[in-house]
């Protein structure tokens, strides 16, 4: 039992390093890890050296120490970004260090901390590391987000289980949705998965659909127009140096941007949506010329409304993502309370901002030109699931030809 866990953890580490980060000989990757995640981080270090890394850096944090700092350090500490930390970030950029991090920190970690203090620090650290975040978003070097469970997350997912038992259940779930079985073939399975995804992206890009029509028995009847020159993305991305990497593990989606002003009809949710820990469930949204003009939720309508009302752009869609109903994450039947997993459970849409890269050359456009190209802008981005076992999606080409994209919840090709 313990031995099989070790084997799976090692296979998971190899997946994150060889496929996620795709470390190249001579590179110096940096791993951001909390001390809780040390067993996985150490295996990742080994895997990086196995790939020929020149050096491997681990940026350790410790949840206990972090909490003490927020509770007890002097105010001034949160008002300036230390110069040594800024120098370190600059060094990581200069040396093009690939970056691996793990989602899954304790949601209660900063409970009771003065929110003003956290906000000040977020602003100060955000401003000081702006160039670094921009470089990552622009894929200047490879990056990958994996996950490491903590007891609070595990117990939230498995309310009937406590401590170790909940952690074991969460590990089982993570391994299964990441296609880790302990047979050492996780990397091979992922390479196949990435190839299938790339082939579907290519097919969709060749069709260059003008619109997609969604229908299912819940009552979804929605038409989504796509921008001219839209691009379907998914699976692996490429760094500016041309090194492929997978930014999220797991990932199942193929996505693009809708025309922000080209959505009409009604869509029904297929799964509960977690909004900062609050659930909205069994809801529909009605669209007219892109804007959400009406919505209703059987549970948590007030949370859904307040999220949609965050800003004007939040009333429009920014993402269309295709995920087969028969996908590892939905097949677990679990709600992970974590976007990294939950957004990969089924076909989803997002209200709020679009990814500029979803239109050819979009990331080089000004904000105004991005909007003209059809890309929505907002400070919000909320993914919600719409894929059901009977969802059909029909693509409409420029000349009106209709092509089945999804039949009975799964890809038609
Ligand atoms: Zn998505
Ligand atoms: Zn999204």
């Amino acid at each position: 039992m313990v031995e099989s866990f070790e084997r799976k953890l090692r296979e998971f580490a190899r997946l994150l390093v060889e496929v996620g980060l795709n470390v190249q000989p001579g590179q110096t990757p940096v791993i951001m890890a909390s001390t809780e995640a040390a067993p996985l981080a150490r295996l990742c270090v080994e895997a990086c050296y196995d790939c020929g890394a020149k050096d491997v850096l681990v940026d350790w944090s410790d949840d206990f120490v972090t909490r003490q700092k927020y509770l007890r350090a002097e105010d001034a500490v949160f008002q300036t970004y230390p110069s040594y930390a800024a120098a370190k970030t600059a060094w990581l950029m200069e040396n093009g260090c690939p970056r691996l991090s793990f989602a899954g920190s304790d949601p209660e970690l900063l409970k009771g901390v003065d929110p003003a203090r956290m906000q000040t620090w977020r602003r100060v650290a955000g401003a000081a590391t702006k160039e670094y975040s921009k470089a990552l978003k622009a894929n200047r070097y490879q990056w990958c987000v994996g996950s490491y469970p903590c007891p609070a997350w595990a117990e939230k997912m498995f309310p009937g289980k406590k401590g170790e038992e909940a952690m074991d259940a969460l590990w089982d779930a993570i391994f299964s949705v990441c296609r880790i079985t302990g047979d050492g073939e996780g990397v091979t399975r992922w390479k196949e998965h990435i190839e299938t995804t790339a082939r579907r992206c290519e097919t969709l890009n060749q069709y260059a659909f003008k619109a997609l029509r969604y229908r299912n028995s819940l009552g979804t009847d929605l038409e989504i127009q796509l921008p001219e020159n839209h691009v379907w993305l998914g699976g692996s991305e490429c760094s500016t140096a041309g090194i492929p990497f997978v930014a999220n593990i797991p990932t199942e989606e193929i996505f693009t941007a809708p025309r922000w002003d080209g959505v009409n009809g009604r869509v029904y949710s297929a799964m509960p949506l977690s909004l900062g820990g609050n659930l909205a469930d069994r809801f529909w949204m009605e669209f007219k010329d892109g804007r959400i003009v009406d919505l209703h939720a059987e549970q948590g309508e007030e949370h859904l409304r307040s999220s949609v009302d965050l800003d004007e752009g939040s009333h429009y869609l920014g993402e269309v993502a295709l995920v087969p109903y028969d996908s590892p994450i939905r097949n677990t039947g679990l709600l992970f309370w974590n976007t990294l997993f939950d957004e990969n459970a089924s076909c989803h849409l997002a209200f709020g901002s679009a990814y500029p890269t979803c239109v050819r050359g979009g990331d080089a456009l000004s904000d105004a030109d991005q909007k003209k190209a059809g890309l929505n802008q907002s400070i919000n981005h909320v993914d919600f699931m719409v894929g059901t076992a009977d969802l059909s999606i029909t693509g409409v080409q420029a000349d009106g030809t209709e092509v089945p994209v999804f039949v009975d919840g799964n890809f038609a090709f």
Side-chain angles (χ1 to χ4, degrees):
M1 169 71 196
V2 173
E3 204 179 300
S4 91
F5 176 77
E6 284 284 332
R7 224 177 18 244
K8 287 181 183 172
L9 198 63
R10 195 171 284 277
E11 192 176 323
F12 187 41
R14 277 191 53 206
L15 174 66
L16 294 173
V17 167
E18 292 180 30
V19 177
L21 221 47
N22 190 13
V23 173
Q24 301 293 302
Q27 286 194 312
T28 301
V30 58
I31 301 172
M32 321 292 293
S34 94
T35 48
E36 307 284 321
L40 177 61
R42 290 182 186 132
L43 292 174
C44 288
V45 169
E46 275 192 287
C48 287
Y49 283 121
D50 289 343
C51 289
K54 176 182 175 186
D55 190 8
V56 184
L57 311 175
V58 182
D59 208 334
W60 293 109
S61 61
D62 181 306
D63 287 357
F64 179 84
V65 175
T66 304
R67 180 167 173 80
Q68 290 298 306
K69 182 189 178 96
Y70 271 107
L71 289 173
R72 307 182 66 178
E74 284 183 22
D75 274 338
V77 167
F78 302 94
Q79 288 157 7
T80 43
Y81 198 72
S83 57
Y84 70 84
K88 182 171 180 179
T89 307
W91 192 93
L92 294 175
M93 287 176 69
E94 231 167 82
N95 289 276
C97 300
R99 183 185 196 267
L100 176 64
S101 59
F102 309 120
S105 64
D106 182 352
E108 310 265 279
L109 176 66
L110 298 179
K111 203 175 179 179
V113 169
D114 176 9
R117 191 168 253 222
M118 288 196 280
Q119 202 184 39
T120 304
W121 179 245
R122 253 204 303 273
R123 229 181 8 244
V124 166
T129 57
K130 199 171 155 208
E131 287 308 310
Y132 186 53
S133 317
K134 260 169 64 185
L136 282 170
K137 263 199 204 115
N139 295 345
R140 284 248 311 271
Y141 13 78
Q142 311 105 276
W143 57 278
C144 174
V145 182
S147 56
Y148 196 90
C150 68
W153 174 19
E155 286 173 9
K156 183 150 182 127
M157 260 185 80
F158 302 97
K161 299 187 197 304
K162 284 261 157 264
E164 199 106 312
E165 207 193 337
M167 284 287 278
D168 286 347
L170 178 48
W171 266 122
D172 279 347
I174 291 176
F175 287 147
S176 102
V177 302
C178 292
R179 298 171 168 82
I180 298 295
T181 63
D183 67 356
E185 296 297 321
V187 166
T188 313
R189 276 188 290 276
W190 264 81
K191 287 188 171 159
E192 284 165 13
H193 172 49
I194 298 291
E195 263 167 44
T196 308
T197 307
R199 180 177 53 75
R200 285 177 172 152
C201 282
E202 211 179 292
T203 306
L204 287 162
N205 286 330
Q206 275 165 3
Y207 280 124
F209 291 124
K210 189 176 70 175
L212 298 176
R213 286 189 195 130
Y214 286 60
R215 272 192 188 90
N216 70 12
S217 60
L218 283 177
T220 292
D221 187 350
L222 188 74
E223 179 171 292
I224 299 176
Q225 293 172 23
L226 301 177
E228 241 179 278
N229 298 321
H230 67 271
V231 188
W232 289 93
L233 302 168
S236 68
E237 315 181 34
C238 248
S239 73
T240 41
I243 304 164
F245 67 97
V246 179
N248 289 325
I249 288 193
T251 181
E252 302 292 334
E253 65 171 349
I254 293 176
F255 64 99
T256 191
R259 265 212 72 89
W260 63 271
D261 56 356
V263 183
N264 285 287
R266 183 179 282 204
V267 68
Y268 281 78
S269 68
M271 278 179 73
L273 166 65
S274 163
L275 292 159
N278 298 304
L279 280 194
D281 199 9
R282 296 184 304 279
F283 59 88
W284 54 257
M285 291 177 167
E286 180 91 27
F287 292 83
K288 174 107 186 43
D289 297 330
R291 199 171 195 279
I292 299 170
V293 289
D294 199 6
L295 64 81
H296 172 73
E298 279 178 38
Q299 187 194 334
E301 184 171 308
E302 67 281 18
H303 302 299
L304 186 60
R305 274 189 196 281
S306 83
S307 187
V308 167
D309 285 339
L310 192 66
D311 61 11
E312 178 54 23
S314 188
H315 292 77
Y316 296 82
L317 294 187
E319 180 188 341
V320 188
L322 306 177
V323 180
Y325 186 74
D326 185 16
S327 81
I329 294 180
R330 203 213 44 88
N331 286 342
T332 65
L334 294 167
L335 181 67
F336 281 78
W337 297 86
N338 181 324
T339 313
L340 179 66
F341 295 89
D342 292 328
E343 77 151 350
N344 284 297
S346 86
C347 279
H348 57 273
L349 302 170
F351 53 89
S353 62
Y355 295 99
T357 44
C358 289
V359 163
R360 221 161 283 125
D363 41 352
L365 298 176
S366 68
D367 284 0
D369 285 341
Q370 284 185 4
K371 190 143 192 207
K372 251 185 252 163
L375 296 162
N376 192 38
Q377 283 154 3
S378 167
I379 54 168
N380 216 7
H381 180 100
V382 179
D383 299 284
F384 60 99
M385 306 300 134
V386 302
T388 53
D390 67 348
L391 179 68
S392 78
I393 304 176
T394 306
V396 186
Q397 290 182 284
D399 65 359
T401 309
E402 297 189 1
V403 181
V405 177
F406 260 59
V407 178
D408 291 335
N410 291 304
F411 271 104
F413 44 79

